[in-house]
Amino acid sequence: MSVAEEDHLTIGIIGAGSIGSTIARRLSRQGHDVMIANSRGPETIDEAALRTGARAVAAAEVAHGVDVLIVSVPMNRNADIAEYVRSAPEGAVVIDTSNYYPMRDGSVRAFEEGVPESVWLSELFGRPVVKAWNAITSQCFDAKASEPGDPLRVAIPVAADRDADRALAMQLVEQTGFDAVDAGVLAESWRQQPGSPVYCTDRTRAEMPDWLAAAEKERVPKRRDLAMEVIGDYVRGGGDATEGRFLVAINRASYS
């Protein structure tokens, strides 16, 4: 399946935070039938996520009959929603936007031993997974969408084991206002995890392949933790770490 073949997809989103809500607005504006759910009930979902036509539903319903299921929750909450992911139709494409941060999620042995995050999630869900929309700050995702052909258009890497799944996810990324870059299979998706040169650094399509190739697996978690330490110090000193340009600058300085 591709967007070209099926102009109006049924899309479920689990997670109504900044990334999930922005995806809901952008894809519903493209004419897709979008449902969004969180753990607290449809009545708690911010109206901003629904302003272009997305519908708030219960988490137990969000995967019913979908063509695409987007999971946008903190890494430590994925086990809680695994049953909903497993209830999606067999042919549905599952897209993961999450990232592992030990200080928030607790230590996960598989990640500490180098298992790529989305490989682990694929095993948890019992479903093939695409990794997309994880390598951009929520601030930049909200503010930096632009039209195709813009030479400064920010790119987002997309990794998956199945070519058709990756192609569909890349088309959806493009519809949210960013260039999509083929980042290969899930075994290589550590190249877009926190600490990598493409993670929250707003690379363009032309820049992205070289920076994906430049990632060093042993150094990625060290650089992730270094960036978090710098950001933590900045916040403790009274700084505002929610500004997108600051986060991009810190990540570029730490990772490249």
Side-chain angles (χ1 to χ4, degrees):
M1 179 191 298
S2 71
V3 178
E5 294 166 351
E6 181 59 78
D7 291 335
H8 302 292
L9 301 175
T10 299
I11 299 173
I13 302 173
I14 303 177
S18 296
I19 296 292
S21 294
T22 300
I23 292 172
R25 290 195 302 273
R26 302 264 172 83
L27 293 184
S28 58
R29 188 181 290 124
Q30 292 291 325
H32 301 297
D33 179 16
V34 179
M35 301 175 286
I36 186 168
N38 64 12
S39 61
R40 295 175 292 130
E43 69 281 356
T44 68
I45 292 178
D46 194 308
E47 291 184 2
L50 312 176
R51 66 168 60 125
T52 60
R55 297 177 288 124
V57 300
E61 303 171 1
V62 72
H64 291 177
V66 298
D67 301 302
V68 177
L69 182 63
I70 299 167
V71 179
S72 188
V73 301
M75 186 62 72
N76 61 8
R77 299 300 307 277
N78 276 299
D80 299 335
I81 55 91
E83 63 179 301
Y84 305 131
V85 178
R86 296 181 192 122
S87 73
E90 183 176 345
V93 176
V94 178
I95 305 176
D96 160 44
T97 79
S98 63
N99 294 294
Y100 170 59
Y101 283 99
M103 62 182 294
R104 178 195 64 193
D105 301 316
S107 179
V108 177
R109 181 176 180 179
F111 298 152
E112 299 300 329
E113 293 178 348
V115 176
E117 296 161 10
S118 290
V119 170
W120 182 85
L121 277 182
S122 182
E123 295 170 356
L124 174 68
F125 294 152
R127 304 290 295 264
V129 167
V130 181
K131 193 169 191 70
W133 288 300
N134 75 295
I136 187 167
T137 66
S138 59
Q139 296 90 342
C140 293
F141 189 50
D142 183 59
K144 290 192 174 182
S146 61
E147 295 299 317
D150 178 352
L152 298 180
R153 197 183 200 207
V154 175
I156 291 177
V158 180
D161 287 340
R162 301 196 301 196
D163 293 345
D165 292 356
R166 189 186 315 109
L168 176 57
M170 289 177 68
Q171 289 177 292
L172 293 177
V173 166
E174 296 274 351
Q175 290 190 354
T176 61
F178 297 82
D179 281 338
V181 172
D182 186 334
V185 297
L186 282 187
E188 293 295 311
S189 62
W190 59 269
R191 296 180 183 275
Q192 66 194 75
Q193 291 178 183
S196 72
V198 304
Y199 181 76
C200 297
T201 50
D202 288 2
R203 310 294 184 186
T204 65
R205 189 202 301 272
E207 296 170 327
M208 182 74 71
D210 285 345
W211 285 114
L212 282 167
E216 300 173 62
K217 192 168 187 179
E218 294 75 17
R219 298 183 69 183
V220 163
K222 296 176 183 177
R223 288 178 167 177
R224 174 200 65 206
D225 295 344
L226 173 61
M228 291 307 297
E229 182 179 345
V230 172
I231 292 168
D233 285 345
Y234 181 70
V235 171
R236 287 188 290 273
D240 178 11
T242 65
E243 210 283 321
R245 286 178 297 178
F246 165 76
L247 295 173
V248 169
I250 290 297
N251 287 331
R252 284 196 173 208
S254 300
Y255 306 157
S256 59

